[in-house]
């Protein structure tokens, strides 16, 4: 004879909600997930990348960011709309820093893995001169 577990009543709806209606506080896993999503967003990750990493919908990530932006969370603000612009700015700074250390355009291009001509153009733009 098989012993069955007694039937448990299903949990009330608020037990499954991301916002506990009775206690008035957000469930821990949702808080952790939202904080991780906002940290990744601040590091210039895309919505899709964040969603894939946290195993949630990209729409959920968009909502996390929107709510955080509305509440004034600094993690939801980006200096640039696109990651490429941020990377280009970081590369320009690296080129100027390496030039200040006395490296040639060829050495800089080899170190950063970019074209020598691009290094020369960026140096000329910044006024450091394009030393060959």
């Amino acid at each position: 004879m098989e012993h069955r577990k007694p039937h448990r009543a299903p949990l009330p709806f608020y037990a499954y909600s991301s916002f506990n209606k009775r206690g008035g506080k957000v469930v821990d896993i949702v808080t952790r997930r939202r904080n991780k999503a906002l940290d990744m967003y601040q590091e210039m990750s895309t919505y899709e990348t964040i969603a894939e990493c946290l195993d949630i919908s990209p729409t959920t990530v968009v909502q996390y960011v929107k709510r955080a932006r509305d509440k004034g969370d600094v993690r939801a603000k980006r200096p640039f709309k696109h990651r490429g612009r941020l990377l280009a700015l970081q590369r320009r700074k690296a080129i100027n820093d390496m030039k200040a250390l006395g490296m040639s355009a060829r050495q800089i291009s080899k170190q950063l893995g970019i074209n020598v001509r691009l290094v020369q153009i960026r140096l000329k733009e910044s006024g450091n001169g394009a030393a060959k």
Side-chain angles (χ1 to χ4, degrees):
M1 188 178 226
E2 208 175 304
H3 229 68
R4 286 187 172 186
K5 290 183 182 179
H7 178 70
R8 280 182 22 189
L11 294 173
F13 76 95
Y14 57 80
Y16 298 105
S17 174
S18 64
F19 185 79
N20 185 330
K21 305 294 189 251
R22 285 245 173 110
K25 55 188 171 190
V26 178
V27 180
D28 289 340
I29 191 168
V30 176
T31 305
R32 285 194 304 267
R33 201 179 280 157
R34 183 174 46 215
N35 285 332
K36 180 67 176 163
L38 290 172
D39 290 340
M40 291 176 72
Y41 183 80
Q42 186 179 24
E43 294 168 359
M44 301 299 287
S45 296
T46 63
Y47 292 134
E48 290 77 18
T49 307
I50 297 168
E52 187 178 310
C53 180
L54 299 177
D55 196 29
I56 56 177
S57 167
T59 309
T60 305
V61 177
V62 171
Q63 289 300 315
Y64 285 166
V65 172
K66 183 182 179 307
R67 286 186 192 128
R69 198 175 289 135
D70 291 345
K71 289 182 177 181
D73 193 331
V74 294
R75 296 177 295 177
K77 294 181 181 162
R78 288 183 169 175
F80 300 104
K81 189 173 183 180
H82 300 287
R83 182 181 173 96
R85 289 184 185 172
L86 179 66
L87 294 175
L89 184 68
Q90 290 172 342
R91 188 169 47 226
R92 280 190 170 117
K93 185 177 179 336
I95 289 170
N96 288 327
D97 291 345
M98 290 179 180
K99 182 62 181 175
L101 293 174
M103 295 176 76
S104 69
R106 192 173 308 277
Q107 292 170 327
I108 295 170
S109 69
K110 198 171 212 171
Q111 182 111 14
L112 296 177
I114 56 177
N115 195 311
V116 178
R117 184 67 187 131
L118 178 62
V119 174
Q120 293 170 344
I121 290 169
R122 296 298 176 242
L123 288 171
K124 190 172 183 180
E125 285 175 356
S126 67
N128 286 334
K132 293 181 183 178

